[in-house]
PDB file of all heavy atoms in Angstrom:
ATOM      1  N   ALA A  22      59.507   3.865 -67.863  1.00 97.00           N
ATOM      2  CA  ALA A  22      59.965   4.897 -68.889  1.00 97.00           C
ATOM      3  C   ALA A  22      58.996   6.153 -68.822  1.00 97.00           C
ATOM      4  O   ALA A  22      57.814   5.989 -68.810  1.00 97.00           O
ATOM      5  CB  ALA A  22      60.081   4.322 -70.312  1.00 97.00           C
ATOM      6  N   ALA A  23      59.610   7.244 -68.760  1.00 96.00           N
ATOM      7  CA  ALA A  23      58.846   8.468 -68.568  1.00 96.00           C
ATOM      8  C   ALA A  23      58.983   9.329 -69.929  1.00 96.00           C
ATOM      9  O   ALA A  23      60.060   9.374 -70.468  1.00 96.00           O
ATOM     10  CB  ALA A  23      59.349   9.342 -67.372  1.00 96.00           C
ATOM     11  N   SER A  24      57.892   9.966 -70.156  1.00 95.00           N
ATOM     12  CA  SER A  24      57.902  11.002 -71.285  1.00 95.00           C
ATOM     13  C   SER A  24      57.191  12.257 -70.731  1.00 95.00           C
ATOM     14  O   SER A  24      56.299  12.146 -69.916  1.00 95.00           O
ATOM     15  CB  SER A  24      57.346  10.510 -72.477  1.00 95.00           C
ATOM     16  OG  SER A  24      55.931  10.125 -72.324  1.00 95.00           O
ATOM     17  N   GLY A  25      57.690  13.385 -71.292  1.00 91.00           N
ATOM     18  CA  GLY A  25      57.118  14.698 -70.764  1.00 91.00           C
ATOM     19  C   GLY A  25      57.605  15.245 -69.540  1.00 91.00           C
ATOM     20  O   GLY A  25      57.167  16.308 -69.106  1.00 91.00           O
ATOM     21  N   ARG A  26      58.568  14.488 -68.971  1.00 88.00           N
ATOM     22  CA  ARG A  26      59.261  15.074 -67.786  1.00 88.00           C
ATOM     23  C   ARG A  26      60.590  14.365 -67.610  1.00 88.00           C
ATOM     24  O   ARG A  26      60.640  13.144 -67.751  1.00 88.00           O
ATOM     25  CB  ARG A  26      58.341  14.849 -66.527  1.00 88.00           C
ATOM     26  CG  ARG A  26      59.049  15.107 -65.289  1.00 88.00           C
ATOM     27  CD  ARG A  26      57.952  15.234 -64.116  1.00 88.00           C
ATOM     28  NE  ARG A  26      57.171  16.360 -64.223  1.00 88.00           N
ATOM     29  CZ  ARG A  26      56.311  16.730 -63.428  1.00 88.00           C
ATOM     30  NH1 ARG A  26      56.160  16.119 -62.231  1.00 88.00           N
ATOM     31  NH2 ARG A  26      55.402  17.720 -63.570  1.00 88.00           N
ATOM     32  N   SER A  27      61.575  15.158 -67.199  1.00 92.00           N
ATOM     33  CA  SER A  27      62.806  14.571 -66.959  1.00 92.00           C
ATOM     34  C   SER A  27      62.855  13.975 -65.531  1.00 92.00           C
ATOM     35  O   SER A  27      62.759  14.703 -64.515  1.00 92.00           O
ATOM     36  CB  SER A  27      63.984  15.652 -67.094  1.00 92.00           C
ATOM     37  OG  SER A  27      65.193  15.072 -66.709  1.00 92.00           O
ATOM     38  N   LEU A  28      63.023  12.752 -65.360  1.00 93.00           N
ATOM     39  CA  LEU A  28      63.097  12.128 -63.972  1.00 93.00           C
ATOM     40  C   LEU A  28      64.241  12.572 -63.223  1.00 93.00           C
ATOM     41  O   LEU A  28      64.341  12.252 -62.001  1.00 93.00           O
ATOM     42  CB  LEU A  28      63.006  10.578 -64.175  1.00 93.00           C
ATOM     43  CG  LEU A  28      61.793   9.969 -64.779  1.00 93.00           C
ATOM     44  CD1 LEU A  28      61.932   8.459 -64.807  1.00 93.00           C
ATOM     45  CD2 LEU A  28      60.516  10.526 -64.152  1.00 93.00           C
ATOM     46  N   SER A  29      65.209  13.137 -63.780  1.00 93.00           N
ATOM     47  CA  SER A  29      66.461  13.577 -63.076  1.00 93.00           C
ATOM     48  C   SER A  29      66.165  14.611 -62.004  1.00 93.00           C
ATOM     49  O   SER A  29      66.894  14.893 -61.206  1.00 93.00           O
ATOM     50  CB  SER A  29      67.562  14.040 -63.986  1.00 93.00           C
ATOM     51  OG  SER A  29      67.003  15.270 -64.657  1.00 93.00           O
ATOM     52  N   ARG A  30      64.884  15.267 -62.058  1.00 94.00           N
ATOM     53  CA  ARG A  30      64.588  16.287 -61.131  1.00 94.00           C
ATOM     54  C   ARG A  30      63.481  15.890 -60.175  1.00 94.00           C
ATOM     55  O   ARG A  30      63.057  16.690 -59.295  1.00 94.00           O
ATOM     56  CB  ARG A  30      64.147  17.581 -61.900  1.00 94.00           C
ATOM     57  CG  ARG A  30      65.190  18.127 -62.793  1.00 94.00           C
ATOM     58  CD  ARG A  30      64.687  19.333 -63.444  1.00 94.00           C
ATOM     59  NE  ARG A  30      65.724  19.934 -64.371  1.00 94.00           N
ATOM     60  CZ  ARG A  30      65.765  19.716 -65.681  1.00 94.00           C
ATOM     61  NH1 ARG A  30      64.912  18.837 -66.238  1.00 94.00           N
ATOM     62  NH2 ARG A  30      66.723  20.290 -66.246  1.00 94.00           N
TER      63      ARG A  30
END
Side-chain angles (χ1 to χ4, degrees):
S24 59
R26 172 164 295 188
S27 172
L28 295 184
S29 64
R30 301 183 178 91

